[in-house]
Amino acid sequence: MNFNYELTAVEYIFMGTFLVLYVLYIGRTFLVARALGATARAVVIKFFLRTTYFALLIVALLGPFFGEPERDIIAEGKDVMVLVDVSKSMDATDIQPSRLEKVKFELQRLSASLVENRFGLIVFSSDAFLQVPLTFDLNAFELFTQSLSTLQVSNTGTDICSALELCIQKLLQNPSANTSKIILLMTDGEDFGNCERKTLASVRQFGFNLFIVGVGTNAGGHIRQKGDWIKDENGQVVTTKLNAAYLRDLATTTGGKYFEINNQSNAIPEVVNAINSVESRLIDSRKVAVVSNKYRYFLLAALVLIAFDVLVTVTTFQV
């Protein structure tokens, strides 16, 4: 038999006090019985009865359990790595309040609808950085997504393929090699990098599911900086547009799917359905000790003895 808790000074004090006081009580009772020429053997019976239920109460207090049976805990789901474009063009206001703010809001809805999965976060502009490794802690994931800003990384351009390369690298490094892996790319499609064929081929080769969400409109929008619109070298207000054709081609090349978010349509429910349609596989498996507290049996036995002690009277002296 094992215990969930250990004896503390409090329990030792109670046990010591009980024994000292009861020994004094028995000694006094025997002295009185001898003086009266009577017997006090019944007190000894009461002593053993009360000692027994007192010990049972102490055992119940310590939370006894028998053995340590093990149980397999299995977690099934998908690994979803989210790639968010934080280049300056994501501050465009063709989607209110801005493209990036819309992405942050929709990511919160997305994670709330897919709570059984692991999420990770990569942010990118001209360079890509791992912001959140794959985790079940959706509170931490949501905290980082809500703090996304175009000021996080340098804005000398946008390189989508650098983000894809980093994502593939991190997914392959993950010990859960057999899990279903999903890449969710959220961008306006402005890309100034060069994609190597090996990168795009790796998405198919390793069975990754690429879902691309285009954020923006074909008409485009302007970018405000320090209270004024950003202008080009000729003094004209810069207009940034959704490059849907490039993103559709990227999805087709990698065997992925393309969705859009703008003021007229919102494909996030479709993205959730697409992720749910991917087969869930084993994410984590471990053995845990399952402890069942058996205190109630000792407590019940103690209560029965207490009731017997209260209800049954014993003649202490015979005069």
Side-chain angles (χ1 to χ4, degrees), residues 185-231:
L185 173 63
M186 308 187 78
T187 177
D188 55 21
E190 288 195 350
D191 185 29
F192 302 97
N194 294 317
C195 264
E196 296 185 7
R197 288 187 176 180
K198 181 177 69 174
T199 301
L200 302 181
S202 295
V203 176
R204 283 181 174 271
Q205 177 185 350
F206 296 109
F208 299 152
N209 299 274
L210 177 60
F211 299 146
I212 301 175
V213 179
V215 186
T217 61
N218 294 326
H222 307 310
I223 308 168
R224 187 177 293 277
Q225 184 175 10
K226 296 181 180 179
D228 197 8
W229 300 114
I230 293 180
K231 299 178 181 178

Side-chain angles (χ1 to χ4, degrees), residues 83 160 308:
L83 283 56
I160 292 175
F308 182 77

Side-chain angles (χ1 to χ4, degrees), residues 237-313:
V237 176
V238 173
T239 300
T240 172
K241 300 180 181 180
L242 170 67
N243 192 348
Y246 168 72
L247 296 178
R248 283 195 180 94
D249 182 63
L250 184 61
T252 302
T253 303
T254 56
K257 295 181 179 180
Y258 176 72
F259 307 88
E260 270 188 24
I261 293 178
N262 52 50
N263 291 326
Q264 284 72 44
S265 63
N266 188 337
I268 289 299
E270 296 175 35
V271 174
V272 172
N273 291 334
I275 293 176
N276 282 329
S277 68
V278 176
E279 179 187 4
S280 293
R281 296 180 184 171
L282 179 68
I283 291 181
D284 190 19
S285 177
R286 63 187 64 185
K287 290 184 179 293
V288 297
V290 181
V291 175
S292 179
N293 195 333
K294 305 296 184 181
Y295 76 93
R296 57 179 60 85
Y297 301 112
F298 294 89
L299 181 60
L300 180 62
L303 292 176
V304 170
L305 294 179
I306 290 172
F308 182 77
D309 184 27
V310 172
L311 297 176
V312 178
T313 59

Side-chain angles (χ1 to χ4, degrees), residues 55-100:
L56 288 172
L57 290 174
I58 294 294
V59 171
L61 183 65
L62 297 179
F65 64 92
F66 299 93
E68 294 187 12
E70 289 189 337
R71 181 179 299 172
D72 289 323
I73 301 298
I74 297 174
E76 289 187 344
K78 311 167 190 74
D79 287 339
V80 183
M81 188 65 82
V82 182
L83 283 56
V84 178
D85 184 352
V86 291
S87 61
K88 197 63 185 174
S89 62
M90 292 295 287
D91 282 335
T93 56
D94 53 343
I95 297 180
Q96 295 296 322
S98 73
R99 294 174 182 174
L100 185 56

Side-chain angles (χ1 to χ4, degrees), residues 75 77-81 117-121 130 132-136 166-182 206 208 281-286:
K78 311 167 190 74
D79 287 339
V80 183
M81 188 65 82
N117 304 298
R118 286 194 301 195
F119 278 82
L121 178 65
L130 179 66
V132 181
L134 287 168
T135 178
F136 281 114
L166 178 61
C167 179
I168 292 170
Q169 175 188 342
K170 296 301 179 182
L171 288 175
L172 292 178
Q173 287 177 352
N174 192 278
S176 302
N178 295 322
T179 58
S180 297
K181 293 178 169 49
I182 295 170
F206 296 109
F208 299 152
R281 296 180 184 171
L282 179 68
I283 291 181
D284 190 19
S285 177
R286 63 187 64 185

